[in-house]
Amino acid sequence: FFPLIGLLIGALVWSADWLLHPLLPTTLLSLFLVGLFAVLSRGFHLDGVADSADGLFGSTDPQRSLAIMKDSRLGTFGALALFFVLALKIRALDMLQGGYRDIALLFGPMLGRWACVVMAYSSRPARSGGLGVVFVNGVQFREFGLASLITLGILFTLIEIVGIVLVIPLGGLIICFTLYCNKRLGGTTGDTLGAIGELIEIATFCLLVVLAE
């Protein structure tokens, strides 16, 4: 039910956008909404982005990369990744108006959490312990199938052709990142699961910007 949790978060942020849109400039509102996304998810996915960037770019040795990712300190690559992710999300959201903005706010978090399920099903734990192990081992075909059915059913029912246009490149991005993590780290971790969630959410925003042009 991860996608439904994402849809709930999206609905809350969309409601805030609807309420505050008459009161705040679009850029300031977009900044607030991105902050609200982070608060509602307790920053878990952003933490995964920072740790994954530090580990994947900080060393070429898998075990060293995993050790860096486990370190709670923020490194240079992690700081740069956080800045880039937040700036890109704010700018993309700032450029979206009308129906495309609604789609981004509602379905971006849903697709991001669906990506976590797909990655967990398509991978194996890179460590012997941690939250990533619990999540990956808990996602079998039943969980993967149900999460995908919920996500695709909602998309194709509510936004039809736009949903198809989004799912194809996003699915390819999920597969590529999963294969990369499997090769570099020997599997996935809680950090890379959080990172794929943010990556897909941002990619959704950016794809909608392109479609809106």
Side-chain angles (χ1 to χ4, degrees):
F1 300 105
F2 246 44
L4 290 180
I5 300 300
L7 185 62
L8 175 60
I9 291 173
L12 292 173
V13 177
W14 175 85
S15 299
D17 182 56
W18 181 77
L19 289 171
L20 297 175
H21 187 72
L23 305 175
L24 296 175
T26 302
T27 301
L28 184 59
L29 180 56
S30 298
L31 177 61
F32 172 78
L33 296 179
V34 170
L36 184 58
F37 271 129
V39 170
L40 290 174
S41 63
R42 299 181 63 191
F44 281 148
H45 290 192
L46 290 174
D47 181 66
V49 169
D51 287 342
S52 295
D54 280 334
L56 293 171
F57 297 113
S59 175
T60 57
D61 177 70
Q63 294 306 314
R64 175 59 181 159
S65 294
L66 290 172
I68 293 173
M69 292 165 67
K70 198 171 183 179
D71 191 334
S72 60
R73 291 173 296 182
L74 180 64
T76 302
F77 289 115
L80 289 172
L82 278 180
F83 174 79
F84 180 75
V85 162
L86 292 173
L88 186 59
K89 188 181 291 188
I90 292 167
R91 181 54 182 154
L93 189 58
D94 188 40
M95 295 175 68
L96 290 170
Q97 299 295 329
Y100 285 105
R101 185 179 175 91
D102 295 338
I103 291 172
L105 292 174
L106 284 169
F107 302 127
M110 181 184 73
L111 286 163
R113 281 151 184 81
W114 171 65
C116 294
V117 178
V118 176
M119 185 178 193
Y121 177 71
S122 307
S123 189
R124 57 190 179 276
R127 295 194 184 100
S128 58
L131 290 177
V133 175
V134 176
F135 192 80
V136 171
N137 289 339
V139 176
Q140 303 300 320
F141 180 78
R142 180 185 64 177
E143 288 76 21
F144 164 74
L146 182 58
S148 298
L149 184 63
I150 290 171
T151 301
L152 299 180
I154 290 173
L155 283 179
F156 297 159
T157 300
L158 297 181
I159 56 176
E160 299 176 343
I161 189 64
V162 176
I164 298 174
V165 173
L166 287 175
V167 165
I168 293 174
L170 292 178
L173 184 57
I174 296 169
I175 292 171
C176 289
F177 187 70
T178 300
L179 291 174
Y180 174 71
C181 290
N182 286 342
K183 183 177 180 179
R184 278 281 285 105
L185 304 173
T188 191
T189 69
D191 288 324
T192 58
L193 288 169
I196 192 64
E198 280 293 328
L199 183 62
I200 294 302
E201 193 171 307
I202 293 168
T204 301
F205 285 17
C206 293
L207 283 171
L208 288 170
V209 169
V210 174
L211 291 175
E213 291 296 323

